[in-house]
Amino acid sequence: MADMVQFAKMNGLGNDILVVDMRGDAGVVTPKAAIALAANEATAFDQIMAVHDPKLQGTDAYIDILNSDGSKAQACGNGTRCVVQALSAETGKQAYTFQTVAGILNAREHADGTISVDMGAPEFHWDKIPLAEEFGDTRMIELQIGPIDDPVLHSPSAASMGNPHAIFWVENDVWSYELEKFGPLLENHPIFPERANISIARVCSDSELDLRTWERGAGLTRACGSAACAAAVSAARTNRTGRTVTVNVPGGPLTIEWLENNNHVIMTGPAQWEFSGTLDPQSGQWQADKTATHGNNK
């Protein structure tokens, strides 16, 4: 058995996160371990944020992100907020710079406990998202669900926030659509060579959106930070809203600001600690600390 490492079960607006401390350990959290942890009710998660020693000078850590199916994720804004809260509780430091496979993320904890993450600049060019075929304008791409003459959903906006997103705009309540049925089909549609996060968005006002997301590699989620960012910038880009919006996800509200000076997207929201323990990053076997509040590892 590999050495046991510390983890914290956390959530960002209900987006279940495991922050795994791999600092000082040369290993990785394996897909086998991720799948085993996801299958347990107490440790079930949307993303694992595996915090490694920094690889790049000037950064605080390298973060490896895994989905609940064991696949790799490029970005997770809600998970990044959880990492900041966990490290801030340990060190007292409030500002962090992380390296991920998607690039550099800067984040800061505020006095009120909310955490802002600079998610970087969005990508809109078809081959950067990526899409399997060329679209000159990704504000609206040709994709639909339902009968060709009366589709249930159609013409989503496409964007990348370090990971691919498709946002379908609807007039009705976002809960009135069977996302659990068509989410898996659209996630794996041939138009998305790296799969995609699929969202349904409704414009409430020029500063507010409602959003539900089927998350690539994780399924239905109470919050997907990168999807909230992709929806916000796509709403602004299609003149549906301004550049600062409240995005209401099932877990609660996120504030998204698309900066004009550098094109970066700033996401602000909370993070919540649930319990901690130790785990084997090779097998996924784990043990809760005495302070655990959720379930057991049987």
Side-chain angles (χ1 to χ4, degrees):
M1 181 183 290
D3 291 337
M4 301 289 277
V5 299
Q6 293 288 322
F7 79 91
K9 174 66 163 58
M10 305 183 69
N11 77 80
L13 289 179
N15 190 191
D16 289 314
I17 303 294
L18 291 184
V19 177
V20 181
D21 187 358
M22 297 297 295
R23 293 172 296 175
D25 191 307
V28 298
V29 180
T30 66
K32 176 184 176 181
I35 292 169
L37 289 161
N40 188 288
E41 182 179 357
T43 56
F45 65 89
D46 294 302
Q47 274 77 39
I48 284 177
M49 308 294 287
V51 182
H52 294 262
D53 293 318
K55 298 181 179 181
L56 187 65
Q57 187 175 2
T59 61
D60 294 288
Y62 180 87
I63 302 178
D64 194 28
I65 309 173
L66 289 87
N67 295 312
S68 56
D69 66 356
S71 64
K72 297 279 188 165
Q74 292 113 318
C76 179
N78 289 320
T80 301
R81 295 202 313 277
C82 291
V83 171
V84 169
Q85 188 188 83
L87 294 182
S88 180
E90 172 192 307
T91 68
K93 184 177 177 179
Q94 291 181 306
Y96 293 88
T97 299
F98 301 122
Q99 182 188 9
T100 73
V101 68
I104 300 297
L105 294 177
N106 293 300
R108 174 178 293 276
E109 185 176 42
H110 303 291
D112 64 358
T114 60
I115 297 158
S116 292
V117 180
D118 183 340
M119 298 289 287
E123 286 280 2
F124 301 118
H125 200 267
W126 71 273
D127 62 348
K128 299 289 187 181
I129 293 172
L131 302 176
E133 61 185 78
E134 182 174 355
F135 285 90
D137 187 352
T138 54
R139 290 177 293 183
M140 186 174 66
I141 67 170
E142 295 175 16
L143 181 64
Q144 68 180 44
I145 284 288
I148 192 168
D149 56 346
D150 188 24
V152 177
L153 297 171
H154 64 91
S155 308
S157 300
S160 172
M161 288 301 311
N163 50 4
H165 292 269
I167 302 97
F168 289 89
W169 302 102
V170 299
E171 298 292 333
N172 299 323
D173 186 343
V174 295
W175 291 95
S176 65
Y177 297 86
E178 295 180 308
L179 185 55
E180 68 280 2
K181 289 188 177 181
F182 57 74
L185 301 175
L186 291 169
E187 173 193 351
N188 294 284
H189 193 282
I191 195 66
F192 303 118
E194 297 180 7
R195 300 186 294 165
N197 298 276
I198 306 300
S199 294
I200 303 171
R202 182 176 75 91
V203 177
C204 304
S205 72
D206 61 4
S207 62
E208 186 176 8
L209 300 174
D210 287 343
L211 186 75
R212 290 181 69 210
T213 298
W214 176 272
E215 194 164 5
R216 179 185 64 166
L220 284 176
T221 180
R222 289 182 57 76
C224 178
S226 61
C229 294
V233 298
S234 295
R237 189 171 177 240
T238 55
N239 297 316
R240 287 177 163 92
T241 68
R243 296 177 74 98
T244 299
V245 296
T246 297
V247 180
N248 300 311
V249 299
L254 288 166
T255 301
I256 310 296
E257 183 180 8
W258 187 15
L259 302 177
E260 291 193 63
N261 60 342
N262 63 4
N263 203 36
H264 283 210
V265 182
I266 308 299
M267 178 188 62
T268 301
Q272 184 177 18
W273 182 93
E274 296 180 13
F275 69 89
S276 62
T278 57
L279 62 81
D280 178 349
Q282 300 297 309
S283 70
Q285 292 181 334
W286 67 281
Q287 183 175 355
D289 291 339
K290 292 180 180 179
T291 54
T293 58
H294 283 62
N296 57 51
N297 62 346
K298 300 300 183 183

